Amino acid sequence: MRVVGTYCRARQEDLAPGAEYWPVDMADRGAVRSFLADLAPGLKRPVLVYTPGISPNNLAHKFEDAEWDRALEINLTGAFLACKGLLPRMREIGYGRIVLISSILARQGVPGTVAYSATKAGLGAMARVIAAENARKGITANTLALGYHDIGIIKAVPEPFLRE
């Protein structure tokens, strides 16, 4: 089994040992297309687990356009581009697994998380459509809506807020 990953700003010590990694900004459409065009043809049983996510926090009426756009680019458009880049190969070989990492915030109204929550909810809709379009080709698509855990974005949340 070959494990391939991308990273943008991850520290090397946070990356899984033994996996192959390439720095790809998932908001850069050209970089994502190029990376997947090179990678996809060699995949024998492709599995996509899309984990990137950013969470700019602000009340909805105070959100800056650039914050909103960046969250959409990374959390939702990046996931779409990854799926779009791998689906032709998956359909060609009649096999594929897509898991889009969502969040419990896709279903909860937590103040200050409008962009993150909206994008993570969008992943659910995207997975349902992709699953419906590709089930007959041996491809599944799902989201995994995680709760709070001590890695990634949650590390930036102050402890008092987590206790609440």
Side-chain angles (χ1 to χ4, degrees):
M1 175 172 68
R2 181 177 178 203
V3 178
V4 176
T6 67
Y7 68 93
C8 187
R9 285 174 286 216
R11 298 177 319 203
Q12 290 296 321
E13 62 269 17
D14 291 339
L15 302 176
E20 303 169 42
Y21 287 98
W22 286 271
V24 179
D25 180 350
M26 296 308 290
D28 181 337
R29 291 170 185 253
V32 174
R33 284 187 187 111
S34 176
F35 172 70
L36 293 172
D38 291 343
L39 179 69
L43 298 176
K44 306 235 185 300
R45 292 180 59 82
V47 176
L48 168 64
V49 180
Y50 191 83
T51 64
I54 61 169
S55 182
N57 294 311
N58 214 336
L59 298 176
H61 68 282
K62 293 182 178 182
F63 242 85
E64 296 291 330
D65 290 350
E67 290 177 311
W68 177 264
D69 292 346
R70 184 74 176 156
L72 284 173
E73 289 171 346
I74 298 292
N75 299 357
L76 195 56
T77 302
F80 172 71
L81 294 173
C83 293
K84 182 179 176 184
L86 292 177
L87 277 167
R89 176 65 178 158
M90 291 175 173
R91 292 174 63 86
E92 174 188 357
I93 63 174
Y95 179 89
R97 300 292 179 261
I98 296 171
V99 179
L100 306 174
I101 302 300
S102 182
S103 170
I104 193 169
L105 296 182
R107 298 190 184 270
Q108 292 182 339
V110 176
T113 66
V114 67
Y116 183 77
S117 297
T119 59
K120 293 302 181 172
L123 291 176
M126 183 168 39
R128 286 188 296 276
V129 171
I130 289 171
E133 291 175 346
N134 294 283
R136 292 186 178 167
K137 293 286 189 175
I139 300 165
T140 63
N142 295 281
T143 56
L144 179 60
L146 300 176
Y148 299 108
H149 46 82
D150 193 21
I151 60 171
I153 292 172
I154 204 69
K155 285 184 175 184
V157 177
E159 182 66 31
F161 290 103
L162 292 176
R163 277 190 253 125
E164 279 184 30

PDB file of all heavy atoms in Angstrom, residues 60-72:
ATOM      1  N   ALA A  60     -20.492  36.589  12.218  1.00  0.00           N
ATOM      2  CA  ALA A  60     -20.850  36.660  10.798  1.00  0.00           C
ATOM      3  C   ALA A  60     -20.822  38.091  10.259  1.00  0.00           C
ATOM      4  O   ALA A  60     -20.300  38.334   9.171  1.00  0.00           O
ATOM      5  CB  ALA A  60     -22.222  36.041  10.577  1.00  0.00           C
ATOM      6  N   HIS A  61     -21.337  39.029  11.001  1.00  0.00           N
ATOM      7  CA  HIS A  61     -21.402  40.412  10.498  1.00  0.00           C
ATOM      8  C   HIS A  61     -20.050  41.109  10.506  1.00  0.00           C
ATOM      9  O   HIS A  61     -19.915  42.191   9.944  1.00  0.00           O
ATOM     10  CB  HIS A  61     -22.436  41.225  11.280  1.00  0.00           C
ATOM     11  CG  HIS A  61     -22.074  41.477  12.707  1.00  0.00           C
ATOM     12  ND1 HIS A  61     -22.209  40.510  13.688  1.00  0.00           N
ATOM     13  CD2 HIS A  61     -21.571  42.574  13.303  1.00  0.00           C
ATOM     14  CE1 HIS A  61     -21.821  41.024  14.829  1.00  0.00           C
ATOM     15  NE2 HIS A  61     -21.422  42.272  14.639  1.00  0.00           N
ATOM     16  N   LYS A  62     -19.041  40.478  11.112  1.00  0.00           N
ATOM     17  CA  LYS A  62     -17.704  41.074  11.149  1.00  0.00           C
ATOM     18  C   LYS A  62     -16.706  40.346  10.251  1.00  0.00           C
ATOM     19  O   LYS A  62     -15.553  40.741  10.172  1.00  0.00           O
ATOM     20  CB  LYS A  62     -17.171  41.068  12.580  1.00  0.00           C
ATOM     21  CG  LYS A  62     -17.941  41.974  13.512  1.00  0.00           C
ATOM     22  CD  LYS A  62     -17.342  41.966  14.886  1.00  0.00           C
ATOM     23  CE  LYS A  62     -18.077  42.917  15.802  1.00  0.00           C
ATOM     24  NZ  LYS A  62     -17.465  42.950  17.139  1.00  0.00           N
ATOM     25  N   PHE A  63     -17.159  39.311   9.575  1.00  0.00           N
ATOM     26  CA  PHE A  63     -16.244  38.526   8.752  1.00  0.00           C
ATOM     27  C   PHE A  63     -15.705  39.346   7.589  1.00  0.00           C
ATOM     28  O   PHE A  63     -16.455  40.017   6.884  1.00  0.00           O
ATOM     29  CB  PHE A  63     -16.962  37.284   8.184  1.00  0.00           C
ATOM     30  CG  PHE A  63     -16.372  35.997   8.636  1.00  0.00           C
ATOM     31  CD1 PHE A  63     -16.749  35.435   9.833  1.00  0.00           C
ATOM     32  CD2 PHE A  63     -15.410  35.356   7.881  1.00  0.00           C
ATOM     33  CE1 PHE A  63     -16.193  34.261  10.270  1.00  0.00           C
ATOM     34  CE2 PHE A  63     -14.854  34.177   8.304  1.00  0.00           C
ATOM     35  CZ  PHE A  63     -15.245  33.624   9.501  1.00  0.00           C
ATOM     36  N   GLU A  64     -14.417  39.254   7.381  1.00  0.00           N
ATOM     37  CA  GLU A  64     -13.786  39.890   6.230  1.00  0.00           C
ATOM     38  C   GLU A  64     -13.982  38.989   5.010  1.00  0.00           C
ATOM     39  O   GLU A  64     -13.939  37.772   5.120  1.00  0.00           O
ATOM     40  CB  GLU A  64     -12.292  40.085   6.483  1.00  0.00           C
ATOM     41  CG  GLU A  64     -11.973  41.032   7.625  1.00  0.00           C
ATOM     42  CD  GLU A  64     -12.328  42.468   7.306  1.00  0.00           C
ATOM     43  OE1 GLU A  64     -12.276  42.841   6.116  1.00  0.00           O
ATOM     44  OE2 GLU A  64     -12.667  43.215   8.247  1.00  0.00           O
ATOM     45  N   ASP A  65     -14.182  39.586   3.854  1.00  0.00           N
ATOM     46  CA  ASP A  65     -14.358  38.807   2.624  1.00  0.00           C
ATOM     47  C   ASP A  65     -13.191  37.858   2.388  1.00  0.00           C
ATOM     48  O   ASP A  65     -13.393  36.706   1.986  1.00  0.00           O
ATOM     49  CB  ASP A  65     -14.514  39.727   1.415  1.00  0.00           C
ATOM     50  CG  ASP A  65     -15.834  40.481   1.410  1.00  0.00           C
ATOM     51  OD1 ASP A  65     -16.722  40.165   2.227  1.00  0.00           O
ATOM     52  OD2 ASP A  65     -15.974  41.397   0.578  1.00  0.00           O
ATOM     53  N   ALA A  66     -11.979  38.328   2.636  1.00  0.00           N
ATOM     54  CA  ALA A  66     -10.792  37.498   2.390  1.00  0.00           C
ATOM     55  C   ALA A  66     -10.774  36.271   3.310  1.00  0.00           C
ATOM     56  O   ALA A  66     -10.363  35.195   2.886  1.00  0.00           O
ATOM     57  CB  ALA A  66      -9.520  38.315   2.580  1.00  0.00           C
ATOM     58  N   GLU A  67     -11.231  36.425   4.555  1.00  0.00           N
ATOM     59  CA  GLU A  67     -11.295  35.278   5.476  1.00  0.00           C
ATOM     60  C   GLU A  67     -12.304  34.242   4.965  1.00  0.00           C
ATOM     61  O   GLU A  67     -12.038  33.041   4.981  1.00  0.00           O
ATOM     62  CB  GLU A  67     -11.738  35.723   6.873  1.00  0.00           C
ATOM     63  CG  GLU A  67     -10.753  36.541   7.634  1.00  0.00           C
ATOM     64  CD  GLU A  67     -11.328  36.991   8.967  1.00  0.00           C
ATOM     65  OE1 GLU A  67     -12.456  37.518   9.002  1.00  0.00           O
ATOM     66  OE2 GLU A  67     -10.641  36.796   9.980  1.00  0.00           O
ATOM     67  N   TRP A  68     -13.448  34.726   4.543  1.00  0.00           N
ATOM     68  CA  TRP A  68     -14.494  33.854   4.018  1.00  0.00           C
ATOM     69  C   TRP A  68     -13.989  33.111   2.775  1.00  0.00           C
ATOM     70  O   TRP A  68     -14.115  31.896   2.674  1.00  0.00           O
ATOM     71  CB  TRP A  68     -15.727  34.685   3.673  1.00  0.00           C
ATOM     72  CG  TRP A  68     -16.829  33.886   3.059  1.00  0.00           C
ATOM     73  CD1 TRP A  68     -17.088  33.747   1.729  1.00  0.00           C
ATOM     74  CD2 TRP A  68     -17.802  33.094   3.747  1.00  0.00           C
ATOM     75  NE1 TRP A  68     -18.176  32.917   1.540  1.00  0.00           N
ATOM     76  CE2 TRP A  68     -18.629  32.507   2.768  1.00  0.00           C
ATOM     77  CE3 TRP A  68     -18.057  32.833   5.083  1.00  0.00           C
ATOM     78  CZ2 TRP A  68     -19.696  31.675   3.088  1.00  0.00           C
ATOM     79  CZ3 TRP A  68     -19.125  31.997   5.412  1.00  0.00           C
ATOM     80  CH2 TRP A  68     -19.925  31.431   4.410  1.00  0.00           C
ATOM     81  N   ASP A  69     -13.394  33.860   1.843  1.00  0.00           N
ATOM     82  CA  ASP A  69     -12.905  33.266   0.602  1.00  0.00           C
ATOM     83  C   ASP A  69     -11.850  32.202   0.865  1.00  0.00           C
ATOM     84  O   ASP A  69     -11.868  31.134   0.252  1.00  0.00           O
ATOM     85  CB  ASP A  69     -12.342  34.341  -0.329  1.00  0.00           C
ATOM     86  CG  ASP A  69     -13.419  35.277  -0.870  1.00  0.00           C
ATOM     87  OD1 ASP A  69     -14.618  34.960  -0.756  1.00  0.00           O
ATOM     88  OD2 ASP A  69     -13.042  36.349  -1.393  1.00  0.00           O
ATOM     89  N   ARG A  70     -10.917  32.470   1.763  1.00  0.00           N
ATOM     90  CA  ARG A  70      -9.842  31.511   2.056  1.00  0.00           C
ATOM     91  C   ARG A  70     -10.410  30.231   2.682  1.00  0.00           C
ATOM     92  O   ARG A  70      -9.985  29.131   2.330  1.00  0.00           O
ATOM     93  CB  ARG A  70      -8.801  32.156   2.973  1.00  0.00           C
ATOM     94  CG  ARG A  70      -7.600  31.290   3.250  1.00  0.00           C
ATOM     95  CD  ARG A  70      -6.679  31.226   2.053  1.00  0.00           C
ATOM     96  NE  ARG A  70      -5.487  30.455   2.422  1.00  0.00           N
ATOM     97  CZ  ARG A  70      -4.723  29.841   1.580  1.00  0.00           C
ATOM     98  NH1 ARG A  70      -4.966  29.925   0.293  1.00  0.00           N
ATOM     99  NH2 ARG A  70      -3.682  29.154   1.976  1.00  0.00           N
ATOM    100  N   ALA A  71     -11.382  30.369   3.584  1.00  0.00           N
ATOM    101  CA  ALA A  71     -12.004  29.177   4.180  1.00  0.00           C
ATOM    102  C   ALA A  71     -12.703  28.338   3.115  1.00  0.00           C
ATOM    103  O   ALA A  71     -12.584  27.107   3.101  1.00  0.00           O
ATOM    104  CB  ALA A  71     -12.987  29.576   5.283  1.00  0.00           C
ATOM    105  N   LEU A  72     -13.414  28.997   2.207  1.00  0.00           N
ATOM    106  CA  LEU A  72     -14.060  28.261   1.113  1.00  0.00           C
ATOM    107  C   LEU A  72     -13.033  27.566   0.229  1.00  0.00           C
ATOM    108  O   LEU A  72     -13.219  26.413  -0.170  1.00  0.00           O
ATOM    109  CB  LEU A  72     -14.909  29.200   0.257  1.00  0.00           C
ATOM    110  CG  LEU A  72     -16.241  29.640   0.835  1.00  0.00           C
ATOM    111  CD1 LEU A  72     -16.890  30.688  -0.049  1.00  0.00           C
ATOM    112  CD2 LEU A  72     -17.171  28.467   1.033  1.00  0.00           C
TER     113      LEU A  72
END
